[in-house]
Amino acid sequence: NSQLVSSYICKSGGPGSGKGTQCEKIVETYGFTHLSAGDLLRHEISSKSENGSMILEIIKEGKIVPSEVTVKLILKSISSTDNHKFLIDGFPRTEENRVAYERIIGAEPNLVLFFDCPEEVMVKRILNRKQGRIDDNDETVKTRLKVFKELSLPVVKYYSKKGILHTINGDRTEDEISSQVREVLSAYEP
Ligand code: UP5
Ligand code: MG
């Protein structure tokens, strides 16, 4: 699979930290194919695929879908395009996700962007979104935050130790965040 991927960037951050919002702009400028793990999973639900109802139950609770399911979906997307550069939004969520994915791809991300945002800001954004996401409610948000702290932050720490983590202040305007993201990517792109 290393022939399929020449480089990949991962985006991490709590629920509502602005990962999705910042993706499109980067994709346009830097020629990455954007993959959102959450979108791929939601697509499985809406297309009523084999695992759809299991995924729905897990997302409704704010918990994490088994690695093999998510990794398979990401790999399928990667294989379906000629591009070899990917921006992966909201993945890996757990150490188990990370190990499973890196084993299959045969490489670590070139860069990890971490959107750091205060909890109360994230909660406010999510509850204001009102786009009908099944997990955008008080109760599920609490679990999403807990899961983020307990399972996803260790992955962020791991990448930090590897020296490939870039922390972005997510508590600013979209334009301010975009320009910080561009700064990081411009330094990385030769
Ligand atoms: N907004 C964005 N930026 C703003 C700014 N600078 N100022 C003011 N408002 C801003 O933004 C959230 C909201 O805030 C939007 O309304 C936006 O306009 C506004 P968004 O860009 O959507 O934030 P994002 O970080 O993408 O938040 P999201 O809710 O998508 O985060 P999650 O990480 O919870 O969602 P995801 O889709 O990745 O995952 C959903 C669920 O899928 C998980 O809980 C889990 O159950 C499952 N999942 C897995 O099991 N495994 C995976 O690998 C991935 C997902
Ligand atoms: Mg998102």
Side-chain angles (χ1 to χ4, degrees):
N1 291 308
S2 54
Q3 301 100 295
L4 289 172
V5 177
S6 65
S7 65
Y8 71 104
I9 294 177
C10 289
K11 265 192 173 180
S12 183
S17 60
K19 303 181 293 294
T21 303
Q22 292 297 328
C23 272
E24 277 162 42
K25 295 164 184 175
I26 308 178
V27 169
E28 276 165 28
T29 315
Y30 299 93
F32 288 93
T33 293
H34 168 213
L35 296 178
S36 156
D39 286 349
L40 291 173
L41 291 167
R42 281 184 286 275
H43 182 259
E44 288 295 288
I45 298 172
S46 59
S47 64
K48 301 198 161 41
S49 80
E50 184 193 349
N51 288 320
S53 54
M54 179 262 286
I55 296 171
L56 173 67
E57 287 313 310
I58 294 175
I59 289 186
K60 224 197 253 176
E61 286 188 29
K63 302 212 168 126
I64 301 294
V65 173
S67 293
E68 54 169 285
V69 173
T70 316
V71 168
K72 211 191 249 176
L73 291 174
I74 295 176
L75 205 59
K76 199 167 114 192
S77 291
I78 284 175
S79 324
S80 70
T81 149
D82 290 335
N83 198 355
H84 298 287
K85 288 169 67 183
F86 297 90
L87 180 69
I88 305 183
D89 165 14
F91 183 89
R93 295 292 247 249
T94 64
E95 274 293 287
E96 194 212 346
N97 274 174
R98 180 187 69 71
V99 171
Y101 186 73
E102 288 180 359
R103 194 189 308 123
I104 283 187
I105 291 301
E108 295 204 319
N110 301 69
L111 209 68
V112 178
L113 301 177
F114 170 51
F115 289 75
D116 193 16
C117 201
E119 238 175 75
E120 63 274 16
V121 174
M122 299 195 281
V123 171
K124 203 167 145 201
R125 286 181 187 169
I126 288 172
L127 298 179
N128 279 336
R129 175 155 51 188
K130 303 205 167 43
Q131 284 176 359
R133 259 178 62 170
I134 194 149
D135 53 347
D136 284 354
N137 58 71
D138 276 317
E139 203 189 329
T140 311
V141 167
K142 277 189 200 128
T143 311
R144 286 161 70 190
L145 285 169
K146 187 167 179 281
V147 165
F148 169 69
K149 284 188 280 191
E150 287 176 5
L151 301 177
S152 308
L153 275 182
V155 182
V156 171
K157 271 197 198 128
Y158 172 88
Y159 286 134
S160 172
K161 278 195 194 131
K162 287 264 160 180
I164 54 176
L165 188 83
H166 288 265
T167 300
I168 309 280
N169 176 1
D171 186 17
R172 292 183 300 170
T173 68
E174 288 182 23
D175 285 346
E176 284 167 337
I177 298 170
S178 285
S179 63
Q180 201 193 338
V181 169
R182 275 167 205 280
E183 235 170 71
V184 171
L185 290 183
S186 301
Y188 156 72
E189 282 279 317

